[in-house]
Amino acid sequence: MTTSSRTASPGWLLEAICHAAHDNGSAWHAQLELLCSVGFFDPSRDVWVVRIGALNAGALTALNTLYEAASRYRTQISLAPVAARSGWQGPTFEDGELAQFAAAATDQGRRLGQLPAA
């Protein structure tokens, strides 16, 4: 893989943003327990976040847990590729379709010939 300003990122992650469905009682707590088993709460965005850097058994477990939360509790979940931050300790998608899709997504809105900001 050739390194350029576009590929200088340490890699790509699949990030799931989860908006917990508000409910009273035990369903609310069960939903939160489910989400915290695979992700973390980001108070600045008021969402649960799950980051996946490889398609392995852990990733499949996380995706199945997200599916269960959406199915059982109506949790709203959106998926997007994001560049891994420099402090990320887990695996990343370095090459392949997800990395190409993420690189293309970062190009959206940039005029032809305009250089990447990073």
Side-chain angles (χ1 to χ4, degrees):
M1 179 170 105
T2 328
T3 303
S4 71
S5 60
R6 180 178 295 191
T7 59
S9 165
W12 298 95
L13 302 172
L14 182 61
E15 183 177 75
I17 303 297
C18 310
H19 296 273
H22 293 285
D23 194 358
N24 294 328
S26 61
W28 170 255
H29 295 292
Q31 175 185 207
L32 297 185
E33 284 181 36
L34 197 58
L35 292 173
C36 78
S37 72
V38 294
F40 65 93
F41 185 73
D42 181 351
S44 66
R45 296 188 283 175
D46 195 30
V47 295
W48 288 86
V49 179
V50 178
R51 293 187 178 131
I52 297 172
L55 291 178
N56 55 23
L60 293 177
T61 298
L63 290 171
N64 278 327
T65 301
L66 293 175
Y67 174 77
E68 182 180 347
S71 175
R72 186 179 294 178
Y73 304 109
R74 295 176 292 129
T75 307
Q76 293 181 0
I77 299 169
S78 60
L79 300 170
V82 297
R85 294 194 174 143
S86 60
W88 175 256
Q89 298 296 314
T92 61
F93 295 101
E94 298 292 332
D95 253 338
E97 290 182 21
L98 181 63
Q100 291 171 6
F101 177 76
T106 61
D107 281 343
Q108 290 178 356
R110 187 171 35 201
R111 287 182 273 177
L112 184 62
Q114 184 180 9
L115 295 175

